[in-house]
């Protein structure tokens, strides 16, 4: 087989691994399984979000300690737009999300819907992809 | 080409076939094309849902005979999280869905939105993937 | 490697290129970047939509000149159902979408949600995929 063929197969396999990240994130965050969220991120990475910019360990600690505002959530994510050059150890993903925050704790009927966009830079560390930099952009809320 | 390469290519092709299942389901169920729904399921399979657990033939018969509560539906499904080992004849998929049930028959303005999660075990039968066990979890309704 | 293997790898690569189209469209149209929208379409193609049927250049000119009814939009697209025969230079895609039109210009609190279905025929021109015919079906609005 040509090198080109092998490179393409490896690229396709990496794209599948990358594509799973948004869905793995949504399952983990909706289950409030912060250990599972942590497995997606590079410990040396950074998360930019509505509450400012944090190193990954601080971001995870914030998720653990943050009081619940809503009883449950559902992160419905579109297919990511994957930007990844064959053979590279970095990739970029751009993922649209509808985030349903349901039953506000101090107002059981109160929901919030957020339009979000996750802009992720991923790195391959010891053969495993990790999110090294996430910019979570809140486009709108209702 | 190495066995590894061929195995990976076959795995990728299977993942594409599996990924199409949720979208094929949504087109079929929204069109109320129960024959097309039936093509996705193993006749020897089982569906667990809001109305209890049924063998696939009973599930399909239920879909055919059930009075319409809503004039139309739209099943907007996220990308499935596919769990499939290369070379296996079984696979698991976990798919988030927003289900719009529109225009309640006895109340034309009345809609319902459901947050659903489909947990599917698929089997390869005579070279074709089929859903052998579906657990349809209604996470919330509004 | 067998021809079959090479053909499958090429097919998988094409499917990835095709799968990116809906997401590229959503980023372009939400940014009102009509040049980027134009890159997705065959200049000799046709778009059928709510405002009738137009040749692609007219469609793009309409997007450029159309007064804004809403301050912003978010096109949340499901995974496309891709119908593509290995080796072909044409493909069909069927993509569900939730289109959030936000903050009506003459009524800042006024939003509209549309359930859309994009039925796209794509062609490969000089090695690049382009949408040759789009039928944008508005299933419902709220």
């Amino acid at each position: 087989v040509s090198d080109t063929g092998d490179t393409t197969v490896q690229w396709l396999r990496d794209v599948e691994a990358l594509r799973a990240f948004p869905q793995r994130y949504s399952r983990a965050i909706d289950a409030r399984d912060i250990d599972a969220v942590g497995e997606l991120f590079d410990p040396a990475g950074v998360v930019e979000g509505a509450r400012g910019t944090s190193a990954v360990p601080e971001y995870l600690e914030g998720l653990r300690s943050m009081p619940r505002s809503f009883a449950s959530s559902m992160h419905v994510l579109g297919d990511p737009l994957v930007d990844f050059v064959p053979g590279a150890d970095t990739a970029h993903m751009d993922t649209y999300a509808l985030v349903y925050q349901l039953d506000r704790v101090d107002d059981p009927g109160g929901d919030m819907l957020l339009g979000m966009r996750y802009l992720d830079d991923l790195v391959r560390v010891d053969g495993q992809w990790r999110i090294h930099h996430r910019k979570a952009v809140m486009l709108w809320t209702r």
Side-chain angles (χ1 to χ4, degrees), chain A:
Chain A
V1 67
S2 63
D3 287 350
T4 310
D6 275 349
T7 301
T8 301
V9 171
Q10 183 56 48
W11 179 82
L12 289 162
R13 189 159 61 173
D14 278 319
V15 168
E16 288 300 338
L18 292 164
R19 176 171 292 130
F21 264 75
Q23 299 298 331
R24 292 172 63 197
Y25 171 75
S26 69
R27 302 311 184 277
I29 197 78
D30 290 341
R32 296 178 191 257
D33 181 344
I34 310 306
D35 289 346
V37 174
E39 287 171 20
L40 303 174
F41 285 86
D42 177 358
V46 166
V47 177
E48 288 183 62
R51 288 183 301 279
T53 300
S54 309
V56 161
E58 293 168 79
Y59 160 72
L60 296 173
E61 185 49 38
L63 290 179
R64 285 185 210 281
S65 60
M66 191 170 46
R68 293 168 79 134
S69 303
F70 293 88
S72 66
S73 70
M74 186 181 189
H75 287 64
V76 183
L77 306 183
D79 199 37
L81 195 55
V82 180
D83 185 0
F84 169 52
V85 174
D89 287 319
T90 61
H92 183 75
M93 292 206 296
D94 173 350
T95 310
Y96 269 19
L98 294 170
V99 179
Y100 287 83
Q101 296 283 3
L102 300 168
D103 289 318
R104 196 182 294 270
V105 168
D106 57 9
D107 170 17
D111 301 331
M112 189 162 67
L113 175 58
L114 300 86
M116 297 284 300
R117 185 174 183 179
Y118 298 104
L119 301 170
D120 294 332
D121 294 311
L122 294 100
V123 293
R124 195 197 315 251
V125 179
D126 298 333
Q128 296 289 315
W129 288 103
R130 295 280 183 267
I131 301 170
H132 181 71
H133 187 273
R134 160 163 289 187
K135 186 172 181 179
V137 182
M138 195 179 71
L139 301 173
W140 51 272
T141 64
R142 288 296 185 271

